[in-house]
């Protein structure tokens, strides 16, 4: 088997449109039914939907948990959630699988947790790769993407998206059963 990987010169939102085009090209192979995207504001999820409107795939959006930046505030507006739902996109808002409680412990007491080590290992590839793994766990735990089936996950660095992989998700209780099959695109570290 021979596949190509698109590498971006630098991470960030400037790669969003090209990344989505790469994902669409991969989806044209017809063997993937779910696309999970990390889109805090919902804007990248909306762009993804527009690009994939002619394909029969389920798109699931994953955003930050409530209070990620500011107490009692979400990064995504209720209006955007409703807009995405009208387009058939479910938005999941929940604690980060590869930080959340661990980050709270580290922030208060210092040191690190085993989860911090897993996240740091994924970041060695790139931030977006860590995000792809994280949302796969979160959405599998919520029952929004299947376990045991290849899906595409899309993540990024700060705003926009710059990384996409074909992977098999796993629940948090079986995190080491997660499998990465293909890198579609990513920024060079």
């Amino acid at each position: 088997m021979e596949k190509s990987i698109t590498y971006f010169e630098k991470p960030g939102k400037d790669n969003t449109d090209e990344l989505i085009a790469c994902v669409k090209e991969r989806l044209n192979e017809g063997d993937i039914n779910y696309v999970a995207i990390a889109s805090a504001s919902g804007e990248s999820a909306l762009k993804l939907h527009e690009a994939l409107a002619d394909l029969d795939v389920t798109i699931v959006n994953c955003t930050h948990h409530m209070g990620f930046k500011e107490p009692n505030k979400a990064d995504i507006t209720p209006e955007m959630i409703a807009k995405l739902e009208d387009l058939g996109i479910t938005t999941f808002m929940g604690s980060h699988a590869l930080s959340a409680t661990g980050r709270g412990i580290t922030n208060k007491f210092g040191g690190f947790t085993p989860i911090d080590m897993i996240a740091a290992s994924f970041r060695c590839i790139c931030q977006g790769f860590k995000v792809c793994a994280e949302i796969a766990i979160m959405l599998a735990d919520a029952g929004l993407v299947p376990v045991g089936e290849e899906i595409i996950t899309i993540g990024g660095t700060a705003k926009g998206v710059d990384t996409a992989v074909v992977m098999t998700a796993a629940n948090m209780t079986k995190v080491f059963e997660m499998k990465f099959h293909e890198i579609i695109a990513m920024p060079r570290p």
Side-chain angles (χ1 to χ4, degrees):
M1 177 186 304
E2 191 171 308
K3 298 270 186 176
S4 65
I5 300 172
T6 298
Y7 292 101
F8 301 117
E9 288 294 322
K10 59 183 182 171
K13 67 180 180 178
D14 292 342
N15 302 311
T16 299
D17 292 337
E18 188 175 349
L19 179 95
I20 289 172
C22 292
V23 167
K24 183 171 185 174
E25 182 178 326
R26 176 58 183 84
L27 284 167
N28 284 329
E29 293 180 29
D31 60 332
I32 305 283
N33 298 313
Y34 286 84
V35 180
I37 185 167
S39 181
S41 69
E43 292 297 328
S44 293
L46 192 58
K47 279 187 171 190
L48 181 67
H49 176 270
E50 291 166 1
L52 305 183
D54 59 330
L55 299 177
D56 184 23
V57 294
T58 299
I59 299 171
V60 183
N61 182 44
C62 190
T63 186
H64 294 139
H65 59 82
M66 183 69 79
F68 182 77
K69 292 181 183 170
E70 188 177 335
N72 303 312
K73 296 251 178 170
D75 290 347
I76 191 167
T77 65
E79 295 80 18
M80 178 59 86
I81 292 172
K83 185 175 189 174
L84 292 172
E85 283 179 2
D86 287 346
L87 297 171
I89 300 171
T90 299
T91 295
F92 175 79
M93 183 185 308
S95 297
H96 287 71
L98 298 178
S99 61
T101 303
R103 184 172 293 151
I105 293 167
T106 300
N107 288 345
K108 181 151 179 88
F109 301 108
F112 61 92
T113 68
I115 294 295
D116 293 325
M117 293 169 36
I118 294 170
S121 297
F122 286 138
R123 278 191 207 97
C124 286
I125 300 167
C126 70
Q127 174 66 23
F129 196 88
K130 190 274 300 182
V131 172
C132 287
E134 189 164 49
I135 68 169
I137 296 164
M138 293 164 67
L139 296 176
D141 281 357
L144 296 172
V145 298
V147 170
E149 180 179 324
E150 291 185 19
I151 65 172
I152 291 177
T153 57
I154 301 170
T157 308
K159 294 185 182 284
V161 289
D162 57 24
T163 307
V165 300
V166 176
M167 65 178 296
T168 301
N171 298 107
M172 190 56 155
T173 54
K174 296 186 177 191
V175 68
F176 293 110
E177 292 181 11
M178 185 169 30
K179 302 290 182 228
F180 296 89
H181 307 290
E182 302 168 33
I183 296 173
I184 298 169
M186 64 177 271
R188 286 178 47 87

